[in-house]
Amino acid sequence: MKEAVFITFEGPDGSGKTTQSKMLYEELLRQGRPAIWTREPGGTKSGRKIRSMLLDDPGVELSPETELFLFAADRAQHIAEIIRPALDAGKIVICDRYMDSTTAYQSGGRGFPVEMIVALNEYSTGGLRPDLTFLLDVPSGIGLKRAAGRKTDKFEQESLVFHQRVRQKYLDLAQSDSRIVVLDGSAPIKTIFQVILTYLQNNCSIINK
Ligand code: T5A
């Protein structure tokens, strides 16, 4: 495997990505590694405006096409402003959601043709793919129940069937790409994190034993 310096965390809503990606970031800092944590949508100043339009601005109704292009726009800006400069400076980039989210949600969930999403992802990322992706897999009911404990966004209000299609598209992606490591997101938080650490210790050199 190519040295993992660009690591993404993916999964359905409430799968525990934010929890695990931040734990890995903290561990890397603890070990003195140069790392940043960032997320999509909303990893830049303009991206935070896009995020608000996409997720929780009550006065904004977006067509599926507009939504798709806003996720792509957020990502292009995020790469230009944050991800590419950090990688060029030799940092480890930990990103909470990236291009696989667009495939899972906009193709799996919304039903856009996957070939078009793949082409759009390629164009908006300039071909920048993660070295490694941890996919937190949870049955849709569990993730939504976890998310329901706080203010829900537009996607969390989608139907159970929508979320089941998102989950299936993630699993299809993982089947076809060895970059994606599937983790049982319904296990306890500490257990999942130990699996992540062990994977990194055995497969790349960014983390000490
Ligand atoms: N989207 C995004 C698209 O449609 N297309 C795209 O291209 C992109 C980039 C983003 C939304 O936008 C969509 C996908 C999303 O719907 P968001 O707010 O970033 O919105 O939503 P999420 O990424 O889903 O963030 P969440 O916070 O909802 O989920 P996480 O990050 O998976 O979960 P986390 O870690 O915050 O945990 C949620 C709760 O569960 C607990 C945590 O303590 C927390 O309370 N928890 C666990 N409980 C028990 N066991 C575990 N193993 C647990 N792990 C976490």
Side-chain angles (χ1 to χ4, degrees), residues 67-192:
E67 179 187 277
L68 171 66
F69 294 129
L70 283 177
F71 278 119
D74 170 74
R75 183 161 306 126
Q77 188 62 28
H78 190 206
I79 292 168
E81 213 176 305
I82 306 288
I83 299 177
R84 201 47 105 180
L87 292 173
D88 288 348
K91 294 188 177 159
I92 299 164
V93 175
I94 309 293
C95 191
D96 184 351
R97 293 198 182 282
Y98 189 62
M99 60 183 213
D100 299 326
S101 286
T102 307
T103 311
Y105 282 79
Q106 276 63 54
S107 176
R110 295 277 187 245
F112 283 107
V114 72
E115 304 74 30
M116 187 272 281
I117 298 292
V118 168
L120 181 66
N121 279 345
E122 184 68 18
Y123 192 76
S124 58
T125 61
L128 179 65
R129 291 163 63 81
D131 301 311
L132 173 64
T133 297
F134 289 112
L135 169 58
L136 277 291
D137 178 49
V138 283
S140 307
I142 293 186
L144 292 177
K145 207 182 252 178
R146 286 182 191 162
R150 47 175 197 206
K151 189 171 166 268
T152 52
D153 64 38
K154 282 180 194 166
F155 286 91
E156 287 156 355
Q157 290 160 19
E158 288 287 344
S159 67
L160 184 60
V161 172
F162 175 94
H163 288 283
Q164 285 165 339
R165 290 199 305 262
V166 168
R167 181 190 184 200
Q168 189 55 52
K169 185 59 82 176
Y170 268 131
L171 292 173
D172 293 348
L173 272 176
Q175 280 273 325
S176 63
D177 195 337
S178 60
R179 153 180 74 82
I180 303 176
V181 177
V182 183
L183 305 170
D184 176 7
S186 55
I189 290 174
K190 279 188 184 163
T191 307
I192 300 169

Side-chain angles (χ1 to χ4, degrees), residues 42-50 77 81-82:
T44 63
K45 195 171 174 190
S46 55
R48 284 186 276 286
K49 294 189 177 177
I50 295 175
Q77 188 62 28
E81 213 176 305
I82 306 288

Side-chain angles (χ1 to χ4, degrees), residues 50 53-54 60-73 112:
I50 295 175
M53 276 198 283
L54 280 165
V60 173
E61 286 291 330
L62 301 175
S63 74
E65 290 76 12
T66 306
E67 179 187 277
L68 171 66
F69 294 129
L70 283 177
F71 278 119
F112 283 107

